[in-house]
Amino acid sequence: MTTYSGTEEFAGARFIKANFTGATFRFSDVSGVRMRAVDVNGLDIDSHDLFFGTLYVNGVDVVPLVEAELNRQFPGRELQNAQTLDGLREGWLAVQSAWETTVAGAPPDAVHAHVDGEWSLAQTLRHLILATDTWLRGAILRVPQPFHEIGQIFTGAEDMGFDMSIFRADPPEFSQIRSVRAERQQMVTDFLATATPELLSQEREAPWAGDDWRPTVGDCIRVILEEEWAHLRYIRRDLALLASATADST
């Protein structure tokens, strides 16, 4: 299998009667791609940023349809964009309840399992620790060094010049991950319990250098909610695939 990485050679290219059966695109820019008279049976698209743009299938923008279906599958997810304090509190309770159910129901042998190179459940919880550290402890509370050592940084952070020495190299025990995760969850709960509408409207600096966006405190909480729901979807998807593979092998 040929791998093309870090290339610009396909930008603006035309593919006529080309065979992409079974091809995989990861961390690739396919914005503006036009497909005509194509066979898309089994085509599987997963985009974290889908809801910030459009995706047309046979002339229909399917993004609102996908958004509505995900909100149906994940009750409370629609509150990730809540503009009121009560809405954010309710949204946080909903996603934490969903996570509690998911983690409790995960088989022990699936905690560190990977599907198609995606993060395991353990790594995902570590990343959510990092997300809370980034947007609550860092952006909102302005803690100078907000990160816990077991946080899971996103792919490409080292290339951006991020100090990776903050994080430990050896993987922590799952019990420690759950303990730190619970602490971070409680931090968000406690913050929302005492926050005011005036505080939510205050501006903060974006956590990652080079971003000219000036998020409000409320925006930072909404990013945390978005991270929580997005990664919950990934993990439920992967746990279902692992369960299916186990069933097929028995």
Side-chain angles (χ1 to χ4, degrees):
M1 180 183 297
T2 304
T3 298
Y4 300 91
S5 180
T7 179
E8 299 285 338
E9 64 180 297
F10 300 117
R14 292 174 62 86
F15 300 95
I16 311 297
K17 295 183 178 180
N19 188 349
F20 292 99
T21 303
T24 299
F25 299 86
R26 293 184 62 86
F27 304 111
S28 299
D29 185 353
V30 293
S31 58
V33 169
R34 289 174 295 170
M35 300 181 181
R36 301 291 185 266
V38 294
D39 182 355
V40 295
N41 181 42
L43 177 65
D44 186 350
I45 300 174
D46 200 307
S47 171
H48 178 71
D49 296 325
L50 178 67
F51 310 106
F52 299 104
T54 57
L55 174 62
Y56 288 93
V57 178
N58 291 354
V60 178
D61 181 8
V62 300
V63 171
L65 306 180
V66 175
E67 180 81 346
E69 175 58 18
L70 288 178
N71 287 343
R72 186 192 68 80
Q73 293 181 18
F74 297 90
R77 179 182 176 276
E78 71 281 358
L79 293 170
Q80 66 182 335
N81 295 316
Q83 299 298 309
T84 67
L85 189 53
D86 285 343
L88 293 175
R89 288 169 176 161
E90 185 179 349
W92 176 249
L93 289 175
V95 75
Q96 295 317 297
S97 176
W99 264 113
E100 181 179 359
T101 300
T102 300
V103 174
D109 59 354
V111 167
H112 299 288
H114 299 271
V115 175
D116 294 332
E118 299 289 346
W119 281 339
S120 65
L121 173 58
Q123 289 174 309
T124 297
L125 295 180
R126 291 171 61 192
H127 180 70
L128 292 176
I129 290 169
L130 176 120
T132 304
D133 285 345
T134 300
W135 293 96
L136 176 60
R137 285 169 51 80
I140 295 177
L141 301 180
R142 296 168 172 154
V143 176
Q145 199 298 85
F147 302 108
H148 194 283
E149 65 173 2
I150 69 170
Q152 179 86 29
I153 195 68
F154 55 84
T155 302
E158 187 171 9
D159 296 335
M160 295 170 57
F162 194 86
D163 181 9
M164 302 297 289
S165 67
I166 294 171
F167 306 107
R168 58 188 286 180
D170 58 310
E173 295 292 330
F174 191 58
S175 58
Q176 183 187 8
I177 295 172
R178 294 198 63 177
S179 176
V180 177
R181 163 73 166 154
E183 291 175 0
R184 269 29 185 193
Q185 290 171 302
Q186 190 62 49
M187 286 181 187
V188 178
T189 300
D190 292 344
F191 175 80
L192 288 174
T194 59
T196 63
E198 291 74 24
L199 176 58
L200 290 184
S201 66
Q202 291 180 13
E203 285 193 349
R204 292 292 190 267
E205 292 185 6
W208 307 113
D211 195 340
D212 58 1
W213 177 43
R214 293 282 298 181
T216 63
V217 169
D219 290 332
C220 294
I221 294 296
R222 283 183 281 273
V223 172
I224 292 175
L225 287 172
E226 179 188 342
E227 288 277 335
E228 294 275 342
W229 285 115
H231 286 284
L232 177 67
R233 179 174 67 83
Y234 302 152
I235 281 301
R236 286 193 176 177
R237 173 199 65 195
D238 292 349
L239 288 175
L241 290 171
L242 288 169
S244 178
T246 299
D248 290 344
S249 65
T250 58

